[in-house]
Amino acid sequence: MSTAAPAPALSVLDLVPVRTGQTSAQAVAASLDLVAAADRLGFRRYWFAEHHNMPAVASTTPPVLAAAAAARTSRIRLGSGGVMLPNHSPLVVAEQFAALEAIAPGRIDLGIGRAPGSDPVITQLLRQSGTTSDVERFPEHVRDIVSLVSADGAALRFTSGGTYDVHATPAATSVPEVWLLGSSDYSAQLAASFGLPYVFANHFSGEGLERALELYRTQFQPSETLAAPRTFLTANVLVAPTQDEAEARALPNLRMTARLRTNRPLGALETVEQAQAGASDFDALAESSMASARAKWFVGTPETVAESLRAFAAVHGVDEVMISPIAGSYENEPMDASPGRVRTLELLAAAVHLTSE
C-alpha cells in the first residue's frame, strides 16, 4: 500500500512576465492563454499580482486582468495575489471586486496585501495622482472592505448619531472571498485576529514561513465566514520533460531575481539564450543570490517536482499549493504565448492527476 503524501490542489500566481522584444499586449495575451490552460486542466484558482514600473512585469491591475480572464474561463477561481491596499481607496477596491463577483459569481478571490508593490518614487506618484489609503490604517481598511463587499454592506456613522448605508454593489447575491496576504508576522497575526484566510508569500523569499504559519494557526479567532484557520503555500515552480531543459528555462528568472536582490539595473526578462550568453557578467554576490533562490525553487521533471510539492505541502500541513510558473522562453517561441509556462501546468497536472475537463 502506498504511503506517499496526497497530492495538494494546485493554483497559479501570475505576474504576467514580459520578455525581451515582447509588447505588453503580447504578454497579456500569453497570460490569458495560460489561464485558459489552467481552467482546462483543473487548477483551483488563478491570481494576478500587483507590481508597478517594472520592465519585466505587466501585472499592474489585478481586477482588469481578472475580468479578462473571466471571459476566457468557466470554473477556475480568479482574483488578486494581491491588491496592494495602500495604493487604493478601500471603496474602489470593494466595488471592483464586487463587480467581478457579478461577472463570475462564486469564482472571485480578493487577496489583499500591505506592501506598495513598487519603489518609494512610484508609491509617492500613486499618492499624488490617485485615491490611495493610509498604510497606518490598513487593519481598519481591511475590515471596511470585508463589510463593503458583503450582501449587507457597511454603515457609516455620523458624529451626529445618524447612519448611512454603503454597498459595493446594489444587490449582491454572492460575495468575493477575502484573503489576507503577507510575508511577515504582522500579516499573519492580523489575518488570525480578523478570522480571515491567509497566504504567506513564500515564493518571494521563503524566510519566516514556519513562524508565520504558527502565529496564524495558534492565534486564529473564528469569524462569521471562517471557523478554522485556512491557508496554502506559494512556490516558484518549473516543470519540463528533462532536467536540463528545466534548468535552462529557470535561468532568466534566476538572473532577474539576482538583479533585484543585488540592486542591479532591471530590464525585460531575458530569453534563455540571452541568459546563457550573459553567464559571465555576474560577480560572486550575484551568483550566490542565484544559488540561494534556486535552492528554494521547484525545478525539474514532472514526477520529481510533483513529489517535492507533495512533501512540501505535507510538512506545512496544507492541501493547496499556488505555483508561480517561472519558465523562461527560447528566442524562437511565439511572442503571444508562453509554451514553457503552459507546459509546466500540463506536465504537473498530469503528474498529480488533477481532474481536467
Side-chain angles (χ1 to χ4, degrees):
M1 183 173 64
S2 174
T3 58
L10 295 177
S11 297
V12 179
L13 175 65
D14 192 358
L15 277 64
V16 190
V18 182
R19 75 184 208 207
T20 301
Q22 192 178 38
T23 66
S24 296
Q26 290 169 329
V28 170
S31 281
L32 292 180
D33 184 51
L34 188 66
V35 74
D39 187 52
R40 169 175 53 84
L41 293 166
F43 283 70
R44 179 175 288 179
R45 67 185 90 238
Y46 196 107
W47 287 1
F48 292 98
E50 178 185 336
H51 292 285
H52 301 282
N53 200 43
M54 296 183 69
V57 176
S59 184
T60 57
T61 55
V64 173
L65 294 167
R72 295 284 300 272
T73 59
S74 61
R75 60 177 180 173
I76 196 168
R77 295 190 66 87
L78 303 165
S80 55
V83 165
M84 299 295 102
L85 187 52
N87 298 339
H88 310 280
S89 158
L91 176 59
V92 171
V93 172
E95 288 180 330
Q96 289 171 339
F97 280 80
L100 283 170
E101 181 67 25
I103 292 170
R107 293 204 289 137
I108 301 301
D109 295 330
L110 169 50
I112 300 173
R114 185 172 178 266
S118 189
D119 57 67
V121 174
I122 298 302
T123 298
Q124 188 60 34
L125 178 62
L126 286 165
R127 289 176 179 170
Q128 290 177 350
S129 62
T131 304
T132 59
S133 60
D134 183 355
V135 68
E136 299 303 322
R137 297 176 64 192
F138 180 74
E140 176 186 341
H141 291 151
V142 171
R143 193 179 291 113
D144 289 345
I145 286 177
V146 172
S147 296
L148 287 165
V149 299
S150 71
D152 294 334
L156 298 179
R157 187 172 300 278
F158 298 113
T159 55
S160 60
T163 59
Y164 186 85
D165 292 337
V166 183
H167 295 80
T169 57
T173 55
S174 62
V175 299
E177 189 168 82
V178 179
W179 291 71
L180 202 60
L181 318 179
S183 57
S184 67
D185 293 354
Y186 173 88
S187 57
Q189 292 172 305
L190 187 64
S193 67
F194 282 0
L196 289 174
Y198 169 69
V199 181
F200 180 85
N202 180 68
H203 68 287
F204 184 69
S205 72
E207 301 299 329
L209 168 61
E210 292 82 0
R211 176 173 170 78
L213 292 182
E214 180 183 9
L215 287 171
Y216 173 63
R217 287 165 171 161
T218 58
Q219 297 184 17
F220 183 84
Q221 299 295 315
S223 64
E224 290 184 5
T225 56
L226 193 62
R230 185 182 179 196
T231 186
F232 60 77
L233 299 174
T234 62
N236 292 308
V237 175
L238 197 161
V239 182
T242 67
Q243 188 69 38
D244 285 347
E245 181 183 342
E247 298 293 348
R249 286 191 182 272
L251 194 55
N253 267 295
L254 283 170
R255 285 170 57 82
M256 180 64 69
T257 298
R259 287 191 178 93
L260 282 167
R261 294 181 179 177
T262 58
N263 295 314
R264 290 169 176 257
L266 301 179
L269 192 67
E270 295 172 322
T271 63
V272 172
E273 290 89 346
Q274 288 173 324
Q276 290 172 332
S280 62
D281 64 10
F282 271 14
D283 57 19
L285 179 61
E287 292 289 347
S288 175
S289 181
M290 286 177 60
S292 176
R294 174 63 185 86
K296 297 174 182 176
W297 293 6
F298 298 82
V299 177
T301 56
E303 291 303 328
T304 299
V305 173
E307 183 58 34
S308 295
L309 289 176
R310 287 189 189 99
F312 182 56
V315 164
H316 297 290
V318 300
D319 65 359
E320 179 179 350
V321 176
M322 175 172 277
I323 71 167
S324 177
I326 52 167
S329 296
Y330 286 92
E331 290 178 356
N332 64 350
E333 292 178 339
M335 289 292 185
D336 58 354
S338 296
R341 294 203 299 155
V342 171
R343 196 72 176 133
T344 287
L345 267 56
E346 290 174 340
L347 292 173
L348 191 54
V352 302
H353 308 295
L354 287 187
T355 303
S356 61
E357 293 178 346

